[in-house]
Amino acid sequence: ETAAAMARGVAQAMGTTVGLGFTGVAGPEASEGQAPGTVCIGWWIKHADGEGGEVAGSQTVQLPGDREQVRQ
């Protein structure tokens, strides 16, 4: 939910119809119960139909590697 909200916010701030947001835990320690390497990718898309519709979502993935690798 946070990553999708970030995506919407960046799209609105930039005046675009598509936005992406990323958040997560790079490590080296867990944070708020989430393991290092946990990354949430969010998206928000405004429909071009003029009706004001939108679609948003997010996906959580677990990336391998140390802190520097996860941040890259």
Side-chain angles (χ1 to χ4, degrees), residues 1-68:
E1 295 175 8
T2 299
M6 292 169 65
R8 184 175 196 234
V10 75
Q12 291 177 332
M14 300 301 294
T16 64
T17 58
V18 176
L20 295 174
F22 298 86
T23 188
V25 180
E29 303 296 325
S31 177
E32 298 180 15
Q34 298 295 320
T38 303
V39 176
C40 296
I41 305 163
W43 59 90
W44 179 83
I45 304 167
K46 182 177 181 179
H47 290 246
D49 62 8
E51 300 290 321
E54 58 186 60
V55 62
S58 64
Q59 180 69 45
T60 300
V61 297
Q62 187 67 39
L63 301 178
D66 62 20
R67 178 177 173 82
E68 191 60 32

